[in-house]
């Protein structure tokens, strides 16, 4: 769709949640997209300011029920709904609407993986909203539906795809990643209470149980051209935002540290939102706070014969809402970088 210089009208379903709030924060600063209808479930009928007080320009907007009728008439609809709720709604929206799903409903290509990790019938597979993957920008430019990646898979895929694309590592990956509490959503959970989180780091979804594992396997296997195994251990850190992922894989024979760095520099050359840090500097989540950026560093552990990649992103921005808008820009015929910040907030 070509915007023709006119504002594109966007609706956000799930506007009262963390992902919906981040979408709105970014859309308010987007010069090519106007914010239209806002919807949600239990918070319908209340002002957005009751749920997103930081969004002063939209504070008086009344949240509507999430129905096809409320979302009709928009150029693009962003779905920031719980997993499993997007498919039925998307099926009722017209073919002229670009639909961008921030949930998991359409990410996986394997119906067996969907059933095993999420349960219920598989809704299908949409074009995957990670433009940095080889060939993906062309796919997204022609898309009318987009599946936004999970936040953990965004970090891990951006960190490892250059190594697999260049054949620098063996197909056996170990990932340990720390995430802020916003990654679990806004619903109340005892494990996310301040008294449980403050001053403590805990593991969860251990032993291949986390739902994002098959998505990582899917992405890396596609780039590698063959099966890749991923052992993923997520941890919960006492912070609101951010992911720091440490990704390790056996190095291919003959790989040198110089060759590793050169391959990453070549793969990421010209990428507007992915930055390879100067040698000796390592990623921290604070570097990406509020920005649609991923920062990473690579090292060759010669004694162990392994490649180590450390990646930091903001799970709500590049990991969700920013990635959604980046992909939507491509599908709408807008400049990919439009409305997306690369400057973070510190301290």
């Amino acid at each position: 769709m070509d915007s023709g210089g006119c504002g594109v009208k966007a609706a956000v379903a799930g506007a009262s949640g963390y992902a919906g709030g981040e979408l709105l924060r970014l859309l308010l600063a987007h010069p090519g997209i106007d914010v239209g209808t806002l919807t949600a479930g239990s918070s319908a009928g209340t002002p957005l300011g009751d749920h997103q007080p930081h969004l002063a320009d939209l504070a008086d907007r009344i949240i509507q029920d999430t129905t096809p009728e409320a979302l009709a008439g928009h150029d693009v609809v962003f779905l920031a709904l719980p997993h499993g709720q997007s498919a039925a709604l998307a099926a009722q929206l017209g073919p002229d609407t670009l639909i961008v799903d921030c949930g998991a409903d359409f990410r996986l290509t394997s119906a067996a993986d969907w059933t095993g990790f999420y349960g219920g019938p598989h809704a299908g597979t949409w074009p995957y909203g990670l433009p940095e993957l080889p060939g993906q920008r062309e796919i997204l430019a022609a898309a009318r539906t987009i599946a936004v990646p999970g936040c953990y898979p965004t970090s891990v895929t951006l960190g490892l795809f250059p190594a697999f694309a260049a054949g620098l590592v063996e197909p056996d990956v170990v990932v340990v990643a720390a995430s802020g509490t916003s990654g679990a959503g806004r619903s109340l959970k005892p494990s996310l209470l301040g008294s449980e989180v403050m001053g403590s780091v805990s593991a969860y979804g251990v032993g291949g149980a986390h739902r994002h594992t098959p998505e990582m396997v899917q992405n890396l296997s596609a780039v590698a051209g063959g099966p890749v195994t991923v052992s993923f251990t997520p941890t919960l850190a006492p912070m609101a935002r951010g992911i720091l992922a440490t990704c390790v894989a056996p190095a291919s024979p003959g790989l040198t540290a110089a060759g590793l760095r050169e391959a990453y520099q070549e793969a990421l050359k010209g990428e507007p939102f992915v930055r390879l840090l100067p040698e000796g500097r390592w990623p921290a989540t604070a570097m990406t706070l509020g920005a649609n950026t991923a920062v990473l560093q690579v090292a060759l552990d010669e004694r162990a014969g392994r490649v180590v990649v450390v990646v930091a992103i903001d799970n709500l921005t590049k990991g969700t809402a920013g990635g959604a808008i980046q992909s939507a820009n491509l599908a709408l015929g807008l400049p990919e970088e439009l409305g997306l910040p690369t400057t973070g907030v510190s301290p």
Side-chain angles (χ1 to χ4, degrees):
M1 178 189 299
D2 187 345
S3 69
C6 299
V8 172
K9 190 176 181 183
V12 175
S16 60
Y18 287 143
E22 186 73 351
L23 278 164
L24 292 171
R25 180 181 76 86
L26 297 173
L27 289 173
L28 282 170
H30 196 299
I33 299 180
D34 300 321
V35 177
T37 300
L38 312 180
T39 77
S42 60
S43 56
T46 62
L48 183 71
D50 288 357
H51 312 278
Q52 311 284 11
H54 62 298
L55 301 176
D57 290 348
L58 299 173
D60 295 331
R61 291 278 194 98
I62 301 300
I63 300 172
Q64 300 185 31
D65 283 314
T66 300
T67 65
E69 293 75 20
L71 299 173
H74 293 82
D75 300 291
V76 55
V77 173
F78 293 96
L79 303 178
L81 304 173
H83 301 317
Q85 294 188 15
S86 296
L89 183 63
Q92 300 177 71
L93 299 177
D96 293 333
T97 301
L98 172 65
I99 308 173
V100 183
D101 183 22
C102 294
D105 291 29
F106 299 98
R107 295 172 185 164
L108 298 178
T109 58
S110 167
D113 282 343
W114 171 265
T115 301
F117 282 85
Y118 292 92
H122 184 225
T125 307
W126 285 359
Y128 195 68
L130 194 62
E132 292 83 2
L133 282 174
Q136 204 64 21
R137 285 188 169 91
E138 292 76 12
I139 293 172
L140 291 170
R144 303 305 305 145
T145 54
I146 295 171
V148 180
C151 52
Y152 280 126
T154 294
S155 63
V156 172
T157 304
L158 291 176
L160 286 175
F161 89 82
F164 278 108
L168 305 182
V169 293
E170 302 297 329
D172 182 13
V173 174
V174 175
V175 176
V176 178
S179 176
T181 56
S182 61
R186 201 165 194 170
S187 59
L188 296 177
K189 303 177 182 70
S191 62
L192 300 179
L193 292 172
S195 57
E196 301 290 336
V197 174
M198 289 187 297
S200 178
V201 176
S202 59
Y204 65 101
V206 181
H210 195 280
R211 289 175 168 181
H212 286 176
T213 303
E215 194 178 338
M216 297 178 196
V217 170
Q218 173 180 293
N219 295 350
L220 298 178
S221 296
V223 176
V228 174
T229 61
V230 177
S231 176
F232 173 50
T233 302
T235 62
L236 185 65
M239 58 186 182
R241 290 173 177 249
I243 287 177
L244 187 72
T246 302
C247 315
V248 181
S252 296
L255 180 64
T256 64
L260 174 64
R261 186 166 187 85
E262 182 179 351
Y264 269 77
Q265 288 173 330
E266 182 61 28
L268 301 177
K269 183 172 58 179
E271 285 295 344
F273 299 115
V274 186
R275 180 185 174 204
L276 178 64
L277 294 175
E279 291 188 77
R281 188 180 303 172
W282 289 90
T285 55
M287 295 178 180
T288 65
L289 187 63
N292 192 55
T293 52
V295 296
L296 58 91
Q297 186 60 277
V298 296
L300 176 63
D301 185 339
E302 295 182 353
R303 291 185 179 85
R306 288 173 171 82
V307 168
V308 181
V309 186
V310 179
V311 187
I313 65 169
D314 184 322
N315 58 294
L316 290 179
T317 314
K318 181 56 175 165
T320 308
I325 293 172
Q326 182 182 346
S327 297
N329 280 342
L330 289 167
L332 292 166
L334 299 171
E336 182 178 342
E337 302 170 55
L338 197 63
L340 293 171
T342 57
T343 302
V345 178
S346 181

